[in-house]
Amino acid sequence: MNRYIGFVTRRPVVVLLYLLLITVLLAPGMLKLQFSNAIEAFMPKSDHEYLFYEGIKEIYGDNGRFIILSVSDGDLWRPDTLSRIDALLTDLEEYKDFDREGENGRIAKFDELAGAGDLTRHELLDAFQKDPPFHRYLERKCRVLFGESDHLGGRQLKKIRAELLKTYDFKKQEIIDEVISPLTMKDISGEDDVLTAYDIIEKDDQGKRLLPRSPEEIRTFRQRLERNPSFEGALYRRDDKTGNITDFSVMIKFINLADQDPIAREIKELIDGHHDLKTVPTGIPIINIGFHNYMHRDLYTLVPIVMLVVIIVFYFNFRSLRGVVLPFITLSLTEIWIMGLMGYLGHRISSVDLSLPPLMIAVGSSYSIHILNQYYADFAMISGDDKRKGLSRSMSHISLTVLLAGLTTFIAFITLISSEITAIRDWGFYSAVGVMFAVFISSSLIPAGLAVLPHTIPSLLMNRDKTLKTTLVDRVIALTTKAAVVHYRKVLAVVTILIIFGIAGAFRLNVETVFLNYMKEGDVIRDNATEIAEKFGGFEGFAILLDSRRPDGVKDREFLEVVERFRAWLMAPENRDLFIGRTDAFPDLVKTMHMAMNNDERTFYAIPQRQSDIIDYLEIYGGDDDDFDGRFDEFEPFVDGEFRTVNILARLQQRKDHSVGTAEIKMVSERMDQYLRTELPRNIGYTISGFPMIEEKLVHYIVTGQMTSLFLSLIIVGLIVALLFNQIKAAPLALVPMSVAVILNFGIMGWLGINLDMVTSLIAAITIGIGVDDTIHFLNTFRHNRALGLPVDETITRTLAVAGKAITFTSLALILGFMVFTVSTFIPVILFGVLMAMTMVATTVGALIVLPAVIMASGVDLKTYKSESRIRKYLDLDRLLGLEQEEEKSL
């Protein structure tokens, strides 16, 4: 380290140019950053539950991640309202059935118009007046891209064409699997003793819906819709008081995609474009879009504010331009390097990563403060020597401390790669790399900058006799010194009580993984989800597979009755605490067939009494099999190809009076498991899966990852400290402040009912990683002073006088930096900021009071050098003794 610092002070301009070059190379990577909040960012790809759920989606389709919206636009039975709904559905269906010739013709015509020169928006839209879906598409894109601007120059037309090609690719993949609504739904007819699927709204030869116009046609449409009991609560919703139909449902199911975000954004934009309809959209893809937007906004909000806060701390600490500019450049470069690296490596930012950029600023600021404080503390020594030699001597000492602190922080963060959760594992890697970037940049740029700049000290920091002024911080440190040295027994008694408090609270901790609950109450996304859940039963749910264990077993009457009893149990009034808002399953189709074959009488909407009827119905049924997999399209979400296993879709219902979280999901799954285990016949197997089970499984990974990371961090950091100080007794000393802070954090979370989630689960590792910096700074300074032969109490006093100020200001920067997180949109991020600020207070108190009190009580001695000659050689005592006299004057 000494050689490197010597090079930096001798060749500062070269060092600065190299730093600039690396920054220029890494900066473009920031433009490659993308956001993702898909479950794939969290769930281990090798997890059995995850793989099984992926297998279910391959067989039954993706019934867990769909978009659902309600349409409640005044009188739904007006012809103009039905026309507007039909326009929305028509636009959606363009992503379901790809018309290659038509799409190529649209692009060719657009290119012809664009090639003629600039256009107005009116001219462009007028050219496609006879193609309503494409006219609406262009109108929507122009509004999104250019607002109300009417002029379309070459640049604007190129942007529209790029959007056209992106949409073309979506349509080519036929990325929408199904659009389910009152206007697109099929029902089953039993006319002439033949079961056939028919469209509730008929189509012409070109496949265009023949919308009802006259009162009689609308009445017929309404009767068809109300005929099937399974449609109520799925396709439409009645008012509880009047019984009138107030809402239509539109469900958009996608093909099984690893990343739904791009198409979900396209569809969300499409829905919003139909602003003449009153719609409320939700579903996992919509919630993920909201998360993405909030993450983007938080990232661009938090980083500047955190930077401003630490700059203010720098100013009050150093009262100089260089004391602000050098750290500011250091922190900016750290951000650019780590974010650029993440972009180049193709990392997709998740909700966990929101804390990373502000954290790098907070961590980097502590290294900058330590280095600059050392510079001003050694100002007299640097002034009395050759500037660069003195600067090299001063910077070598503090840079070694910064390196040691960064190394232990690196170790604490890198232990998170042991987590099974992909996002936390990635966070651990990038945060650890970011710490080393911060160490390298601060240890290079600040000494190089000081070597280039004039050697001056702000007058606000100096007395008339050229000694450092005594500040408020110095007085506070004097009080903490007295508490640690004189009243150390009382300090340790208070710490013991706090530890008991923390341990008791830790047993009350709950884990939360449901992303919707990360949003504040009153948030529009959360409110929309609750509204849809109350109207249509929910937007996500369980996939419960009942296995008859034989081909065609699903067609057995007794098996279907078992399915119906289980569904009735799920929806029973006494089981309202199961939060199941709706179930859908294969028996609904069988019951509809039975009713259709009995003149549509509602009393026959039931499982047939005779087994032969079921077999006959399924044999004479005529439906479409568009993908030729041996199952009619209507059957695909509910049965496998062998008709051996039935898939029951049970939607979870978020409620205004109670939000469904991970604890409720666990309770529901356990209750369902208990029922199925005890009530199912022995010849029927079962498996409970679905998106909620993935959320529940994440709890296991959060808890195990938290414990693994915590113990690894403590053990490895303890070993590193023991090796650095060449004494095993240094390890428990270093771990005391962090351990107390971590226990207090868990205790506060438990007592206040704060959940352990994706974000707050990082606190323990961050506490150890950052908290150990102050501890190492204290211990390293303590060891140096103890090597002078001073008594323990005087050594502590002198150590806090020198290191306490840097510790205080670095902690202040961290505390205020973390408090900035309270402006976030996410509840976990807000709580993360508050908890981290409180934890930093705890680690600071631990370094300034608890650690010295433990040393006083235990009598641990870190004096490692055995001979006076070695002390003089290592510390250059002759010069240091002169500096000690200067420090005594300033104190």
Side-chain angles (χ1 to χ4, degrees):
M1 194 69 184
N2 292 348
R3 290 184 179 180
Y4 178 71
I5 294 298
F7 172 77
V8 171
T9 54
R10 289 193 308 271
R11 300 284 188 273
V13 176
V14 174
V15 171
L16 294 175
L17 287 175
Y18 272 118
L19 292 175
L20 177 62
L21 177 62
I22 297 172
T23 304
V24 170
L25 292 174
L26 286 175
M30 298 177 65
L31 301 176
K32 299 177 181 293
L33 283 171
Q34 297 181 7
F35 293 78
S36 174
N37 206 52
I39 197 69
E40 286 76 16
F42 301 93
M43 201 67 183
K45 307 302 185 294
S46 59
D47 178 78
H48 171 73
E49 189 75 50
Y50 174 78
L51 292 175
F52 186 80
Y53 180 50
E54 289 298 306
I56 289 176
K57 291 193 289 186
E58 289 295 331
I59 298 173
Y60 303 100
D62 194 346
N63 296 299
R65 300 182 301 171
F66 53 82
I67 293 176
I68 182 171
L69 58 144
S70 70
V71 181
S72 54
D73 196 357
D75 186 358
L76 294 172
W77 308 108
R78 289 169 53 93
D80 62 322
T81 303
L82 295 176
S83 295
R84 293 198 300 272
I85 297 173
D86 181 65
L88 169 63
L89 298 173
T90 300
D91 291 352
L92 290 170
E93 288 169 333
E94 293 216 332
Y95 295 81
K96 179 178 182 291
D97 302 309
F98 181 54
D99 179 6
R100 184 181 299 274
E101 183 178 350
E103 293 298 330
N104 288 335
R106 287 171 170 176
I107 294 176
K109 185 174 180 180
F110 175 85
D111 289 343
E112 182 181 349
L113 289 169
D118 294 359
L119 298 169
T120 65
R121 182 182 301 193
H122 176 75
E123 290 171 338
L124 177 63
L125 297 178
D126 189 60
F128 293 96
Q129 198 69 44
K130 295 182 180 180
D131 186 356
F134 196 62
H135 180 276
R136 290 190 293 267
Y137 173 86
L138 290 174
E139 185 179 23
R140 181 170 67 250
K141 288 298 180 183
C142 287
R143 185 170 56 253
V144 170
L145 293 173
F146 316 120
E148 298 303 320
S149 175
D150 187 57
H151 177 73
L152 299 176
R155 187 176 179 182
Q156 287 82 7
L157 292 171
K158 284 182 180 180
K159 285 186 177 182
I160 295 175
R161 193 177 194 281
E163 289 294 317
L164 281 174
L165 295 179
K166 185 176 73 172
T167 302
Y168 182 92
D169 186 58
F170 284 143
K171 292 179 178 180
K172 184 173 62 176
Q173 297 178 60
E174 297 187 338
I175 214 158
I176 288 183
D177 182 44
E178 195 172 6
V179 179
I180 302 172
S181 74
L183 277 64
T184 59
M185 192 65 180
K186 290 180 179 290
D187 202 356
I188 299 173
S189 168
E191 290 184 8
D192 301 325
D193 292 333
V194 176
L195 287 170
T196 56
Y198 70 95
D199 294 313
I200 294 180
I201 291 185
E202 298 175 355
K203 299 178 180 178
D204 61 18
D205 295 339
Q206 285 75 42
K208 184 178 180 181
R209 279 178 287 273
L210 301 173
L211 297 176
R213 298 296 180 187
S214 67
E216 184 178 349
E217 290 173 338
I218 291 177
R219 185 165 50 253
T220 300
F221 165 57
R222 183 167 184 167
Q223 289 172 350
R224 287 183 174 184
L225 191 61
E226 294 177 311
R227 163 193 171 273
N228 193 329
S230 67
F231 290 169
E232 184 170 353
L235 298 183
Y236 64 87
R237 181 237 186 191
R238 294 184 187 276
D239 182 83
D240 294 334
K241 295 181 179 179
T242 65
N244 295 327
I245 294 177
T246 57
D247 298 85
F248 284 166
S249 165
V250 178
M251 181 187 292
I252 306 159
K253 294 174 61 177
F254 300 106
I255 60 175
N256 190 15
L257 298 169
D259 183 11
Q260 288 186 336
D261 187 72
I263 182 58
R265 287 184 172 277
E266 179 94 352
I267 299 305
K268 175 68 164 54
E269 180 186 295
L270 187 157
I271 294 169
D272 292 342
H274 287 265
H275 45 77
D276 54 348
L277 278 176
K278 183 181 177 182
T279 59
V280 177
T282 191
I284 298 299
I286 296 294
I287 293 172
N288 284 342
I289 290 173
F291 260 79
H292 177 287
N293 294 340
Y294 289 160
M295 285 192 295
H296 195 273
R297 187 172 68 192
D298 273 4
L299 193 61
Y300 284 94
T301 301
L302 294 176
V303 172
I305 298 178
V306 172
M307 186 72 81
L308 178 62
V309 166
V310 297
I311 285 174
I312 293 173
V313 173
F314 286 136
Y315 175 75
F316 279 103
N317 189 7
F318 303 116
R319 304 298 180 95
S320 67
L321 184 62
R322 73 180 62 187
V324 173
V325 173
L326 290 178
F328 174 76
I329 298 174
T330 298
L331 301 180
S332 299
L333 264 58
T334 301
E335 290 291 285
I336 294 171
W337 285 26
I338 189 60
M339 300 302 286
L341 178 65
M342 292 167 68
Y344 276 125
L345 295 181
H347 179 71
R348 298 174 68 87
I349 295 178
S350 69
S351 57
V352 176
D353 297 315
L354 278 180
S355 62
L356 191 55
L359 178 67
M360 289 300 101
I361 294 175
V363 172
S365 67
S366 67
Y367 303 143
S368 300
I369 289 174
H370 280 301
I371 292 173
L372 282 170
N373 263 340
Q374 189 70 39
Y375 169 73
Y376 287 124
D378 293 341
F379 186 81
M381 181 267 289
I382 298 171
S383 301
D385 201 344
D386 175 81
K387 174 189 172 182
R388 293 193 176 179
K389 287 184 179 179
L391 184 62
S392 177
R393 185 188 302 276
S394 175
M395 294 295 98
S396 295
H397 168 68
I398 191 59
S399 293
L400 177 61
T401 302
V402 167
L403 176 62
L404 298 180
L407 178 61
T408 50
T409 303
F410 173 87
I411 294 297
F413 288 174
I414 203 69
T415 57
L416 288 170
I417 65 173
S418 63
S419 174
E420 294 285 349
I421 299 176
T422 308
I424 292 179
R425 188 165 62 242
D426 290 346
W427 188 96
F429 171 76
Y430 286 111
S431 63
V433 173
V435 166
M436 298 316 295
F437 282 167
V439 169
F440 174 72
I441 294 171
S442 60
S443 298
S444 303
L445 188 142
I446 295 178
L450 293 173
V452 171
L453 295 170
H455 182 56
T456 58
I457 191 168
S459 59
L460 292 173
L461 298 179
M462 300 294 292
N463 294 307
R464 291 182 178 179
D465 59 357
K466 301 301 182 182
T467 58
L468 291 173
K469 288 183 178 180
T470 300
T471 65
L472 176 62
V473 172
D474 295 318
R475 297 187 184 96
V476 172
I477 291 172
L479 293 175
T480 62
T481 303
K482 182 177 180 181
V485 174
V486 179
H487 304 292
Y488 62 88
R489 290 187 178 88
K490 294 179 180 178
V491 169
L492 295 180
V494 172
V495 170
T496 302
I497 294 172
L498 292 175
I499 290 174
I500 295 172
F501 165 85
I503 292 173
F507 285 103
R508 302 166 61 91
L509 265 177
N510 291 317
V511 184
E512 182 59 75
T513 60
V514 176
F515 293 160
L516 188 65
N517 290 341
Y518 289 4
M519 297 180 179
K520 299 176 182 177
E521 291 187 12
D523 182 274
V524 63
I525 295 175
R526 187 166 179 170
D527 288 347
N528 286 353
T530 303
E531 181 177 340
I532 291 294
E534 291 184 345
K535 289 180 177 179
F536 298 109
F539 58 87
E540 67 165 328
F542 294 95
I544 307 157
L545 304 182
L546 298 189
D547 184 3
S548 67
R549 292 177 175 163
R550 59 187 178 87
D552 290 333
V554 169
K555 301 175 183 178
D556 185 80
R557 179 185 175 278
E558 292 183 359
F559 179 84
L560 294 177
E561 290 287 1
V562 169
V563 174
E564 288 300 275
R565 284 197 297 272
F566 174 55
R567 293 175 66 193
W569 177 80
L570 287 173
M571 298 295 295
E574 61 270 21
N575 290 328
R576 189 175 184 274
D577 60 337
L578 292 176
F579 301 100
I580 301 298
R582 178 178 177 82
T583 66
D584 296 280
F586 183 67
D588 291 336
L589 295 169
V590 175
K591 292 187 291 184
T592 301
M593 292 178 188
H594 190 46
M595 184 181 69
M597 292 297 287
N598 289 274
N599 299 318
D600 291 341
E601 293 186 18
R602 283 287 186 109
T603 55
F604 285 91
Y605 185 75
I607 301 297
Q609 294 295 313
R610 294 181 300 184
Q611 176 66 36
S612 59
D613 288 341
I614 299 174
I615 301 300
D616 290 342
Y617 294 161
L618 295 175
E619 286 183 353
I620 65 174
Y621 178 74
D624 296 326
D625 183 12
D626 291 338
D627 56 4
F628 305 104
D629 68 345
R631 294 175 295 172
F632 295 118
D633 295 339
E634 295 82 9
F635 294 179
E636 288 183 358
F638 307 118
V639 295
D640 63 347
E642 294 183 337
F643 280 79
R644 166 178 167 160
T645 303
V646 69
N647 179 27
I648 303 172
L649 305 176
R651 295 190 201 175
L652 276 172
Q653 186 178 52
Q654 296 284 341
R655 297 171 185 164
K656 289 183 179 179
D657 60 341
H658 193 105
S659 182
V660 178
T662 308
E664 288 77 12
I665 290 174
K666 182 178 181 182
M667 178 272 294
V668 174
S669 65
E670 289 177 347
R671 291 265 300 276
M672 289 193 300
D673 182 78
Q674 181 182 11
Y675 175 90
L676 294 170
R677 189 173 60 252
T678 57
E679 299 296 329
L680 280 186
R682 292 185 177 180
N683 63 327
I684 298 177
Y686 71 92
T687 306
I688 303 172
S689 186
F691 198 83
M693 296 301 293
I694 302 298
E695 293 174 315
E696 183 185 335
K697 190 64 176 290
L698 281 173
V699 172
H700 164 75
Y701 290 119
I702 289 177
V703 173
T704 56
Q706 176 78 103
M707 300 309 297
T708 302
S709 172
L710 180 59
F711 284 117
L712 279 176
S713 297
L714 290 173
I715 292 171
I716 296 176
V717 168
L719 290 174
I720 293 293
V721 171
L723 291 173
L724 291 177
F725 290 96
N726 199 28
Q727 292 190 36
I728 193 66
K729 55 190 174 184
L733 280 179
L735 297 180
V736 167
M738 289 91 70
S739 300
V740 172
V742 169
I743 292 171
L744 278 177
N745 169 68
F746 286 144
I748 291 171
M749 291 177 67
W751 286 113
L752 296 182
I754 299 174
N755 294 319
L756 189 68
D757 53 45
M758 295 292 184
V759 182
T760 55
S761 65
L762 301 173
I763 291 177
I766 295 175
T767 300
I768 295 171
I770 297 179
V772 75
D773 290 0
D774 291 341
T775 301
I776 286 180
H777 195 69
F778 175 90
L779 291 177
N780 207 28
T781 308
F782 177 88
R783 180 183 67 175
H784 283 237
N785 287 324
R786 188 76 176 109
L788 298 173
L790 301 173
V792 172
D793 56 348
E794 187 175 345
T795 301
I796 291 174
T797 301
R798 297 171 71 86
T799 297
L800 289 176
V802 175
K805 190 172 182 179
I807 290 173
T808 301
F809 273 104
T810 56
S811 299
L812 182 61
L814 290 168
I815 292 166
L816 295 178
F818 283 122
M819 285 303 294
V820 170
F821 284 65
T822 57
V823 305
S824 172
T825 311
F826 297 110
I827 294 174
V829 175
I830 295 171
L831 295 175
F832 170 82
V834 174
L835 290 170
M836 279 306 310
M838 295 171 61
T839 305
M840 288 300 100
V841 172
T843 57
T844 304
V845 172
L848 297 179
I849 300 179
V850 178
L851 181 56
V854 171
I855 293 175
M856 288 295 299
S858 63
V860 173
D861 192 354
L862 295 178
K863 186 169 63 177
T864 59
Y865 304 106
K866 298 180 180 179
S867 67
E868 185 72 12
S869 61
R870 290 183 63 187
I871 295 173
R872 288 184 177 275
K873 180 179 178 181
Y874 189 84
L875 297 179
D876 194 2
L877 262 185
D878 293 332
R879 183 171 297 280
L880 281 177
L881 289 174
L883 293 178
E884 295 293 337
Q885 295 174 359
E886 293 292 333
E887 289 178 3
E888 287 178 0
K889 292 179 181 179
S890 66
L891 292 173

